Amino acid sequence: MRQMVLRFFLYIWGAILGTTVLVIALAVSFGLPPPGHVPVEAVAELMRTAARNAFVRDGRTGVEQLLARDSSIADEFSLEEARDEAACSSPAWVGTMADGQCLTLYPVPIPLAGLEPFVPFLTPMIVGAAISLLISLALAQRFTRPIQRIGAGLAELAQGRLGQRIGPDLDHSEPAIASVGRAFDTAAGKLQELTEGRSRLFHDLSHEIRSPLARLQAGIALLQQNPARLTGLLPRMEGDIARMNHLVGEILMLARLEHGGEAALTPVAIDLIDILDPILRDAELEGQPRRIGIRYAGPEQLPARCDPELLHRAFENILRNALRYAPADTFIDVEVVTMPNAASVVVSDRGPGVDEAQVATIFEAFVRDEEGKGTGLGLTIAANALRLHGGRIEAENRGGGGLIVRCLLPLSEDRAHGTSR
């Protein structure tokens, strides 16, 4: 606080001092006296003229009476006697007395008289310094309080209190500082969501991993007691191992996409439909037990330059998510719409859809449905894969029930438009 007050004071005082010094320098260089200033020499010459006239009339007594009329004049001038020739021929000479002594009148030396021309400048400087100090205190208070509030908020966050918000406290501060407060609240909210999401993830992952591990341990114990049960336990044990392997693969893929940046991409020239086609065929097979069909509309060929593995994982996760929620005896529509230098892949199902308040969050990491299906990473992986390709993903509820997921993907400029299937 003290340092900021000093800085404000120095800034304001520096401006005042610089202006004053410039004015004084100009006045001295051009020989300009301050307004209303009368030189001491001019006043002394007037007094000597009056004193000479009084001496002619009444001698020394007349001069003393002249000086006695005003005490301020008596204090400013000194009446002296001298015999030397220099005094009798000096400008201070008033008259020569009968005994031959010369009467002289000198101004009394004033301490720091050299500063007299600058008094009109020094006075506003002193007043300006006092006003500057008050303004500096006010400005420092106005700026340090919100800064201290931001520092306290950061300290709270550092101690793990992620519910800390400072925006309302800074609403009446400077607009730039108020915007910092709002940005702080936004960042704190995102950090709180991420931390809570990761906590949920760790809880869910521990459950997801612990359950198959417990079954595997139980299976091994049973096999140790009765090796003949291997044939019945083996498929279940293999399924648990595959489930854990899939979970670990999802986590590693998400870490690669979030932290690898564009370095995670290995783009090659490929037909986008060659990526989609096997995914659609697999989804159709998986949907047969519940009589869920896959309907495709779009071009037969769509050249693009992309990372086939990442896009395969993205589209597979989106379609598997649609299969998970699609009711029996329905269709999932997959439509590819070509645009100049881009393509839109739209996947629509007839499931229950998503609560409107959660539509914007389904692509965030660790967000799962109320039933806790899946790991909450599939759509996040899809969103990150499209983001790294310069595209985007969005979702909305379908009229009549279901969810529509749109993926916008930039393509190479030299692609060809295919024909519809």
Side-chain angles (χ1 to χ4, degrees):
M1 174 69 177
R2 293 179 180 176
Q3 292 181 350
M4 183 164 285
V5 172
L6 180 60
R7 287 194 186 96
F8 279 124
F9 178 77
L10 290 177
Y11 290 151
I12 297 174
W13 178 239
I16 295 175
L17 181 62
T19 304
T20 305
V21 169
L22 179 61
V23 172
I24 292 176
L26 292 175
V28 171
S29 62
F30 289 103
L32 301 177
H37 173 70
V38 179
V40 176
E41 293 77 8
V43 176
E45 186 59 31
L46 290 174
M47 285 300 301
R48 290 180 187 123
T49 301
R52 291 184 187 118
N53 294 333
F55 184 82
V56 171
R57 291 193 306 269
D58 301 315
R60 180 188 176 96
T61 302
V63 176
E64 292 176 345
Q65 290 177 348
L66 174 66
L67 296 176
R69 291 178 186 175
D70 192 336
S71 59
S72 62
I73 295 178
D75 294 337
E76 293 179 3
F77 290 91
S78 173
L79 189 63
E80 300 177 3
E81 296 178 358
R83 286 186 178 277
D84 56 284
E85 184 178 351
C88 295
S89 60
S90 69
W93 175 83
V94 172
T96 303
M97 294 183 294
D99 59 358
Q101 294 191 90
C102 294
L103 196 63
T104 56
L105 186 65
Y106 291 100
V108 176
I110 301 175
L112 303 178
L115 297 178
E116 183 182 1
F118 306 110
V119 170
F121 302 106
L122 295 175
T123 301
M125 287 179 66
I126 296 173
V127 175
I131 296 175
S132 299
L133 181 60
L134 296 177
I135 294 176
S136 300
L137 286 172
L139 287 174
Q141 285 287 110
R142 182 166 180 80
F143 282 96
T144 54
R145 283 182 178 177
I147 293 175
Q148 289 172 345
R149 183 68 188 92
I150 294 173
L154 290 173
E156 293 287 323
L157 287 183
Q159 294 175 5
R161 290 187 276 273
L162 303 180
Q164 181 67 219
R165 301 293 182 268
I166 64 174
D169 297 338
L170 303 181
D171 282 343
H172 301 293
S173 303
E174 294 296 321
I177 296 179
S179 66
V180 172
R182 291 190 293 271
F184 176 97
D185 288 352
T186 301
K190 292 292 184 182
L191 182 60
Q192 185 176 19
E193 292 177 7
L194 181 61
T195 303
E196 291 174 353
R198 290 188 181 276
S199 298
R200 288 194 303 269
L201 172 72
F202 293 146
H203 176 271
D204 294 341
L205 287 181
S206 64
H207 176 74
E208 293 282 346
I209 295 176
R210 186 175 297 169
S211 296
L213 282 177
R215 288 193 295 268
L216 287 172
Q217 288 175 340
I220 292 173
L222 289 174
L223 288 176
Q224 288 174 343
Q225 295 175 2
N226 185 6
R229 301 185 61 178
L230 176 62
T231 304
L233 292 175
L234 188 58
R236 183 183 299 177
M237 296 174 70
E238 288 177 343
D240 287 334
I241 293 173
R243 183 179 180 184
M244 287 192 295
N245 186 55
H246 173 72
L247 183 61
V248 172
E250 293 279 271
I251 296 173
L252 292 176
M253 175 59 71
L254 181 61
R256 171 190 169 190
L257 295 177
E258 287 189 343
H259 302 292
E262 293 185 0
L265 289 177
T266 307
V268 296
I270 194 172
D271 188 347
L272 188 64
I273 306 305
D274 286 342
I275 299 176
L276 277 173
D277 189 63
I279 299 173
L280 298 179
R281 296 182 191 279
D282 291 344
E284 195 164 19
L285 286 175
E286 293 181 22
Q288 284 181 359
R290 292 190 294 142
R291 299 173 301 282
I292 300 174
I294 307 295
R295 296 191 300 197
Y296 173 81
E300 292 184 348
Q301 293 181 341
L302 192 57
R305 185 169 182 80
C306 58
D307 187 315
E309 180 187 353
L310 290 186
L311 284 189
H312 184 280
R313 181 67 69 90
F315 294 139
E316 183 180 42
N317 285 340
I318 294 170
L319 203 53
R320 285 186 180 276
N321 187 75
L323 277 172
R324 182 180 297 121
Y325 295 100
D329 300 313
T330 59
F331 285 92
I332 295 176
D333 292 315
V334 179
E335 182 183 8
V336 177
V337 180
T338 58
M339 297 172 285
N341 302 325
S344 176
V345 180
V346 183
V347 179
S348 307
D349 63 62
R350 270 79 176 164
V354 180
D355 187 278
E356 288 294 340
Q358 297 179 342
V359 170
T361 64
I362 63 173
F363 298 109
E364 295 180 6
F366 324 127
V367 175
R368 303 171 69 179
D369 60 15
E370 295 179 356
E371 299 178 4
K373 294 181 179 180
T375 61
L377 300 176
L379 293 180
T380 307
I381 290 174
N384 278 277
L386 287 165
R387 174 182 57 82
L388 290 179
H389 281 86
R392 67 176 184 272
I393 189 171
E394 56 189 23
E396 63 176 306
N397 283 315
R398 177 180 173 275
L403 187 70
I404 301 174
V405 178
R406 291 188 178 86
C407 307
L408 182 65
L409 181 68
L411 302 174
S412 59
E413 296 183 358
D414 57 350
R415 69 166 179 79
H417 292 279
T419 57
S420 299
R421 288 186 179 181

